[in-house]
Amino acid sequence: MNALRNILVLMEPGAESQPAFDAAITLAKRYGSSLELLIAVFQDLHPAYFDPVTATPLEFHDSIMAGHRAMLERYVGLAGEEGVGAIGEALWGTPFHEIVLARVAATRPDLVVKYSVFHNRVERTLFTGSDWHLIRDCPVPLLLVKEPARLVGARMLACVDPTHAHDKPAALDVQLLQRGAALAHRLGGELHAVHVFSVPAPVGVIGDAYIASAAMPPVEQSVEQARKACFDLARANGLPADHVHFRVGVPARDIVAQAREIDASLVLMGAVSRRRLERWFVGSTAEAALDRLPCNVWVEKPGVPA
């Protein structure tokens, strides 16, 4: 869990700033990582876009790619000035997420870093369709960067589910806490954990479903069992009790509330796999929280080797 040997950084074509690069440099300097800077781009070859207007489609393509390669060379140089080895690659194609996932399969990075925009006015993160594909399908951890400057000395919040109410395997909770502890150690930060227990509501239907709901344990018993499981998990993984937060409520809402309460600058969440679909998914609870978290987010996948 301590190894981040190679980090794939998704660069923003034509942008004046590169928050994903800034975050990746911070991690690389503390982990001794190398960087792979990737621009995946596609532009419509409509004659109206050509400059000069007499340019051929091939000349237009080559001029676009030359500009991106020049930008990558500049950032490779900036990484070198920070003592970080880096290479750059510009690829032409669409859709974006398929280009990225193919690159992940080819180069096998330990982490993918991407910039995400949070808008305070509407309290939402403006994820694109490609972003959601990466959140669900990227087979390695994904760091969604919103505030790169806040990674150092970060207060981190790992979202655990020791009762496995949301189909998350027990090993993933341990993995999240180990990842968080490693990041906190490398970045000089502080790890916290949160479990939001949602009280199951009896469903008044006919047949076995009604009988099962009537046989549910009392709410107080369920809450106490969940609380004990949460603190037992934290204790087994070396997390002090005053860094453990147990809440009863709506997970998507209360995860965001807890992150704001402790002023977390990095939230770690897990993604699990649906066997039938053979693809990763985050789940409605986590997706709703991801949409509203104003801070950096680390999406962890089960069984990722250290």
PDB file of all heavy atoms in Angstrom, residues 35 50 53-54 64 66 74 83 91 101 111 115 131 157 170 185 188 211 215 234 237 260 283:
ATOM      1  N   LEU A  35       6.327  10.000 -13.444  1.00  0.00           N
ATOM      2  CA  LEU A  35       5.058  10.478 -13.995  1.00  0.00           C
ATOM      3  C   LEU A  35       4.949  10.163 -15.475  1.00  0.00           C
ATOM      4  O   LEU A  35       5.934  10.248 -16.217  1.00  0.00           O
ATOM      5  CB  LEU A  35       4.914  11.990 -13.801  1.00  0.00           C
ATOM      6  CG  LEU A  35       4.986  12.552 -12.382  1.00  0.00           C
ATOM      7  CD1 LEU A  35       4.739  14.054 -12.415  1.00  0.00           C
ATOM      8  CD2 LEU A  35       3.998  11.852 -11.463  1.00  0.00           C
ATOM      9  N   PHE A  50      -9.728  25.255 -39.757  1.00  0.00           N
ATOM     10  CA  PHE A  50      -8.343  25.182 -40.199  1.00  0.00           C
ATOM     11  C   PHE A  50      -7.681  26.559 -40.177  1.00  0.00           C
ATOM     12  O   PHE A  50      -8.294  27.569 -40.496  1.00  0.00           O
ATOM     13  CB  PHE A  50      -8.253  24.611 -41.619  1.00  0.00           C
ATOM     14  CG  PHE A  50      -8.609  23.155 -41.718  1.00  0.00           C
ATOM     15  CD1 PHE A  50      -9.153  22.474 -40.644  1.00  0.00           C
ATOM     16  CD2 PHE A  50      -8.408  22.455 -42.893  1.00  0.00           C
ATOM     17  CE1 PHE A  50      -9.476  21.134 -40.740  1.00  0.00           C
ATOM     18  CE2 PHE A  50      -8.736  21.121 -43.011  1.00  0.00           C
ATOM     19  CZ  PHE A  50      -9.277  20.458 -41.922  1.00  0.00           C
ATOM     20  N   VAL A  53      -6.760  28.597 -43.687  1.00  0.00           N
ATOM     21  CA  VAL A  53      -7.924  27.921 -44.256  1.00  0.00           C
ATOM     22  C   VAL A  53      -7.540  26.978 -45.392  1.00  0.00           C
ATOM     23  O   VAL A  53      -8.330  26.110 -45.770  1.00  0.00           O
ATOM     24  CB  VAL A  53      -8.956  28.953 -44.759  1.00  0.00           C
ATOM     25  CG1 VAL A  53      -9.542  29.725 -43.596  1.00  0.00           C
ATOM     26  CG2 VAL A  53      -8.327  29.901 -45.780  1.00  0.00           C
ATOM     27  N   THR A  54      -6.344  27.130 -45.932  1.00  0.00           N
ATOM     28  CA  THR A  54      -5.901  26.258 -47.029  1.00  0.00           C
ATOM     29  C   THR A  54      -5.254  24.975 -46.513  1.00  0.00           C
ATOM     30  O   THR A  54      -4.866  24.121 -47.309  1.00  0.00           O
ATOM     31  CB  THR A  54      -4.882  27.009 -47.906  1.00  0.00           C
ATOM     32  OG1 THR A  54      -3.796  27.451 -47.084  1.00  0.00           O
ATOM     33  CG2 THR A  54      -5.538  28.193 -48.589  1.00  0.00           C
ATOM     34  N   ILE A  64      -2.173  20.599 -34.429  1.00  0.00           N
ATOM     35  CA  ILE A  64      -2.784  20.417 -33.111  1.00  0.00           C
ATOM     36  C   ILE A  64      -1.877  19.563 -32.234  1.00  0.00           C
ATOM     37  O   ILE A  64      -1.575  19.904 -31.073  1.00  0.00           O
ATOM     38  CB  ILE A  64      -4.175  19.763 -33.234  1.00  0.00           C
ATOM     39  CG1 ILE A  64      -5.156  20.695 -33.955  1.00  0.00           C
ATOM     40  CG2 ILE A  64      -4.712  19.362 -31.854  1.00  0.00           C
ATOM     41  CD1 ILE A  64      -5.484  21.948 -33.196  1.00  0.00           C
ATOM     42  N   ALA A  66       1.304  18.935 -32.534  1.00  0.00           N
ATOM     43  CA  ALA A  66       2.587  19.588 -32.259  1.00  0.00           C
ATOM     44  C   ALA A  66       2.463  20.526 -31.067  1.00  0.00           C
ATOM     45  O   ALA A  66       3.357  20.604 -30.205  1.00  0.00           O
ATOM     46  CB  ALA A  66       3.070  20.344 -33.495  1.00  0.00           C
ATOM     47  N   ARG A  74       7.276  20.890 -22.042  1.00  0.00           N
ATOM     48  CA  ARG A  74       7.494  21.923 -21.023  1.00  0.00           C
ATOM     49  C   ARG A  74       7.229  21.366 -19.625  1.00  0.00           C
ATOM     50  O   ARG A  74       7.994  21.618 -18.689  1.00  0.00           O
ATOM     51  CB  ARG A  74       6.582  23.118 -21.314  1.00  0.00           C
ATOM     52  CG  ARG A  74       6.743  24.265 -20.317  1.00  0.00           C
ATOM     53  CD  ARG A  74       6.159  25.544 -20.890  1.00  0.00           C
ATOM     54  NE  ARG A  74       4.727  25.433 -21.121  1.00  0.00           N
ATOM     55  CZ  ARG A  74       3.801  25.701 -20.186  1.00  0.00           C
ATOM     56  NH1 ARG A  74       4.182  26.097 -18.986  1.00  0.00           N
ATOM     57  NH2 ARG A  74       2.528  25.597 -20.472  1.00  0.00           N
ATOM     58  N   GLY A  83      13.002  17.291  -9.576  1.00  0.00           N
ATOM     59  CA  GLY A  83      13.638  16.009  -9.286  1.00  0.00           C
ATOM     60  C   GLY A  83      12.755  14.811  -9.573  1.00  0.00           C
ATOM     61  O   GLY A  83      12.986  13.717  -9.046  1.00  0.00           O
ATOM     62  N   LEU A  91      -2.173  11.623 -27.507  1.00  0.00           N
ATOM     63  CA  LEU A  91      -2.896  10.651 -28.322  1.00  0.00           C
ATOM     64  C   LEU A  91      -4.140  11.295 -28.913  1.00  0.00           C
ATOM     65  O   LEU A  91      -4.850  12.040 -28.240  1.00  0.00           O
ATOM     66  CB  LEU A  91      -3.290   9.433 -27.475  1.00  0.00           C
ATOM     67  CG  LEU A  91      -2.141   8.640 -26.850  1.00  0.00           C
ATOM     68  CD1 LEU A  91      -2.692   7.516 -25.975  1.00  0.00           C
ATOM     69  CD2 LEU A  91      -1.224   8.077 -27.922  1.00  0.00           C
ATOM     70  N   LEU A 101      -8.401   4.430 -20.540  1.00  0.00           N
ATOM     71  CA  LEU A 101      -8.434   3.063 -20.027  1.00  0.00           C
ATOM     72  C   LEU A 101      -7.493   2.146 -20.820  1.00  0.00           C
ATOM     73  O   LEU A 101      -6.863   1.246 -20.246  1.00  0.00           O
ATOM     74  CB  LEU A 101      -9.860   2.522 -20.068  1.00  0.00           C
ATOM     75  CG  LEU A 101     -10.836   3.183 -19.084  1.00  0.00           C
ATOM     76  CD1 LEU A 101     -12.257   2.693 -19.330  1.00  0.00           C
ATOM     77  CD2 LEU A 101     -10.421   2.930 -17.641  1.00  0.00           C
ATOM     78  N   LEU A 111      -1.583   4.716 -10.065  1.00  0.00           N
ATOM     79  CA  LEU A 111      -2.560   5.755  -9.749  1.00  0.00           C
ATOM     80  C   LEU A 111      -2.834   6.566 -11.009  1.00  0.00           C
ATOM     81  O   LEU A 111      -1.920   6.830 -11.792  1.00  0.00           O
ATOM     82  CB  LEU A 111      -2.017   6.670  -8.645  1.00  0.00           C
ATOM     83  CG  LEU A 111      -2.834   7.911  -8.278  1.00  0.00           C
ATOM     84  CD1 LEU A 111      -4.151   7.504  -7.611  1.00  0.00           C
ATOM     85  CD2 LEU A 111      -2.042   8.839  -7.358  1.00  0.00           C
ATOM     86  N   TYR A 115      -8.045  16.164 -12.954  1.00  0.00           N
ATOM     87  CA  TYR A 115      -8.616  17.392 -12.401  1.00  0.00           C
ATOM     88  C   TYR A 115     -10.138  17.343 -12.496  1.00  0.00           C
ATOM     89  O   TYR A 115     -10.706  16.926 -13.505  1.00  0.00           O
ATOM     90  CB  TYR A 115      -8.090  18.594 -13.176  1.00  0.00           C
ATOM     91  CG  TYR A 115      -8.681  19.932 -12.778  1.00  0.00           C
ATOM     92  CD1 TYR A 115      -8.721  20.330 -11.447  1.00  0.00           C
ATOM     93  CD2 TYR A 115      -9.192  20.798 -13.743  1.00  0.00           C
ATOM     94  CE1 TYR A 115      -9.263  21.554 -11.087  1.00  0.00           C
ATOM     95  CE2 TYR A 115      -9.726  22.016 -13.395  1.00  0.00           C
ATOM     96  CZ  TYR A 115      -9.766  22.392 -12.059  1.00  0.00           C
ATOM     97  OH  TYR A 115     -10.302  23.604 -11.705  1.00  0.00           O
ATOM     98  N   ASP A 131     -15.674  11.287 -17.041  1.00  0.00           N
ATOM     99  CA  ASP A 131     -15.269  11.212 -15.638  1.00  0.00           C
ATOM    100  C   ASP A 131     -15.949  10.042 -14.948  1.00  0.00           C
ATOM    101  O   ASP A 131     -15.326   9.262 -14.226  1.00  0.00           O
ATOM    102  CB  ASP A 131     -15.619  12.509 -14.905  1.00  0.00           C
ATOM    103  CG  ASP A 131     -14.766  13.677 -15.321  1.00  0.00           C
ATOM    104  OD1 ASP A 131     -13.693  13.447 -15.908  1.00  0.00           O
ATOM    105  OD2 ASP A 131     -15.168  14.823 -15.082  1.00  0.00           O
ATOM    106  N   LEU A 157     -10.260  11.719   5.241  1.00  0.00           N
ATOM    107  CA  LEU A 157     -11.439  11.040   5.764  1.00  0.00           C
ATOM    108  C   LEU A 157     -11.708   9.796   4.927  1.00  0.00           C
ATOM    109  O   LEU A 157     -12.032   9.894   3.748  1.00  0.00           O
ATOM    110  CB  LEU A 157     -12.654  11.975   5.720  1.00  0.00           C
ATOM    111  CG  LEU A 157     -13.955  11.419   6.303  1.00  0.00           C
ATOM    112  CD1 LEU A 157     -13.810  11.176   7.803  1.00  0.00           C
ATOM    113  CD2 LEU A 157     -15.116  12.385   6.034  1.00  0.00           C
ATOM    114  N   ALA A 170     -15.401  -6.603   3.225  1.00  0.00           N
ATOM    115  CA  ALA A 170     -14.688  -6.192   4.437  1.00  0.00           C
ATOM    116  C   ALA A 170     -13.249  -5.802   4.127  1.00  0.00           C
ATOM    117  O   ALA A 170     -12.704  -4.866   4.722  1.00  0.00           O
ATOM    118  CB  ALA A 170     -14.729  -7.321   5.462  1.00  0.00           C
ATOM    119  N   HIS A 185       0.941   9.485   6.310  1.00  0.00           N
ATOM    120  CA  HIS A 185       2.361   9.428   6.698  1.00  0.00           C
ATOM    121  C   HIS A 185       3.232  10.162   5.683  1.00  0.00           C
ATOM    122  O   HIS A 185       4.101  10.962   6.063  1.00  0.00           O
ATOM    123  CB  HIS A 185       2.796   7.964   6.812  1.00  0.00           C
ATOM    124  CG  HIS A 185       4.260   7.782   7.047  1.00  0.00           C
ATOM    125  ND1 HIS A 185       4.877   8.105   8.236  1.00  0.00           N
ATOM    126  CD2 HIS A 185       5.248   7.330   6.216  1.00  0.00           C
ATOM    127  CE1 HIS A 185       6.169   7.846   8.150  1.00  0.00           C
ATOM    128  NE2 HIS A 185       6.421   7.382   6.930  1.00  0.00           N
ATOM    129  N   GLY A 188       2.343  14.053   5.642  1.00  0.00           N
ATOM    130  CA  GLY A 188       2.290  14.779   6.905  1.00  0.00           C
ATOM    131  C   GLY A 188       0.884  15.130   7.308  1.00  0.00           C
ATOM    132  O   GLY A 188       0.629  16.198   7.875  1.00  0.00           O
ATOM    133  N   ILE A 211     -42.775 -10.474   6.273  1.00  0.00           N
ATOM    134  CA  ILE A 211     -42.378 -11.263   7.437  1.00  0.00           C
ATOM    135  C   ILE A 211     -40.934 -10.946   7.817  1.00  0.00           C
ATOM    136  O   ILE A 211     -40.593 -10.763   8.980  1.00  0.00           O
ATOM    137  CB  ILE A 211     -42.528 -12.766   7.144  1.00  0.00           C
ATOM    138  CG1 ILE A 211     -44.005 -13.096   6.926  1.00  0.00           C
ATOM    139  CG2 ILE A 211     -41.954 -13.612   8.261  1.00  0.00           C
ATOM    140  CD1 ILE A 211     -44.242 -14.506   6.416  1.00  0.00           C
ATOM    141  N   ALA A 215     -39.329  -9.138  11.295  1.00  0.00           N
ATOM    142  CA  ALA A 215     -38.362  -9.829  12.138  1.00  0.00           C
ATOM    143  C   ALA A 215     -37.077  -9.035  12.335  1.00  0.00           C
ATOM    144  O   ALA A 215     -36.121  -9.532  12.928  1.00  0.00           O
ATOM    145  CB  ALA A 215     -38.040 -11.191  11.528  1.00  0.00           C
ATOM    146  N   ALA A 234     -11.690   0.362  13.386  1.00  0.00           N
ATOM    147  CA  ALA A 234     -10.681   1.407  13.550  1.00  0.00           C
ATOM    148  C   ALA A 234      -9.584   0.965  14.503  1.00  0.00           C
ATOM    149  O   ALA A 234      -8.387   1.160  14.237  1.00  0.00           O
ATOM    150  CB  ALA A 234     -11.344   2.684  14.062  1.00  0.00           C
ATOM    151  N   ASN A 237      -7.043  -1.369  13.131  1.00  0.00           N
ATOM    152  CA  ASN A 237      -6.160  -0.767  12.129  1.00  0.00           C
ATOM    153  C   ASN A 237      -5.396   0.431  12.677  1.00  0.00           C
ATOM    154  O   ASN A 237      -4.890   1.262  11.910  1.00  0.00           O
ATOM    155  CB  ASN A 237      -6.958  -0.374  10.894  1.00  0.00           C
ATOM    156  CG  ASN A 237      -7.397  -1.569  10.086  1.00  0.00           C
ATOM    157  OD1 ASN A 237      -6.649  -2.070   9.244  1.00  0.00           O
ATOM    158  ND2 ASN A 237      -8.606  -2.068  10.347  1.00  0.00           N
ATOM    159  N   ARG A 260     -16.938  18.285   5.781  1.00  0.00           N
ATOM    160  CA  ARG A 260     -16.930  19.722   6.061  1.00  0.00           C
ATOM    161  C   ARG A 260     -16.633  19.990   7.543  1.00  0.00           C
ATOM    162  O   ARG A 260     -15.929  20.944   7.872  1.00  0.00           O
ATOM    163  CB  ARG A 260     -18.273  20.335   5.670  1.00  0.00           C
ATOM    164  CG  ARG A 260     -18.551  20.348   4.164  1.00  0.00           C
ATOM    165  CD  ARG A 260     -19.873  21.041   3.866  1.00  0.00           C
ATOM    166  NE  ARG A 260     -20.232  20.994   2.471  1.00  0.00           N
ATOM    167  CZ  ARG A 260     -19.781  21.830   1.534  1.00  0.00           C
ATOM    168  NH1 ARG A 260     -18.924  22.794   1.869  1.00  0.00           N
ATOM    169  NH2 ARG A 260     -20.179  21.719   0.272  1.00  0.00           N
ATOM    170  N   GLY A 283     -21.898   3.178  -6.746  1.00  0.00           N
ATOM    171  CA  GLY A 283     -23.144   3.052  -6.002  1.00  0.00           C
ATOM    172  C   GLY A 283     -23.784   4.409  -5.801  1.00  0.00           C
ATOM    173  O   GLY A 283     -23.120   5.436  -5.764  1.00  0.00           O
TER     174      GLY A 283
END
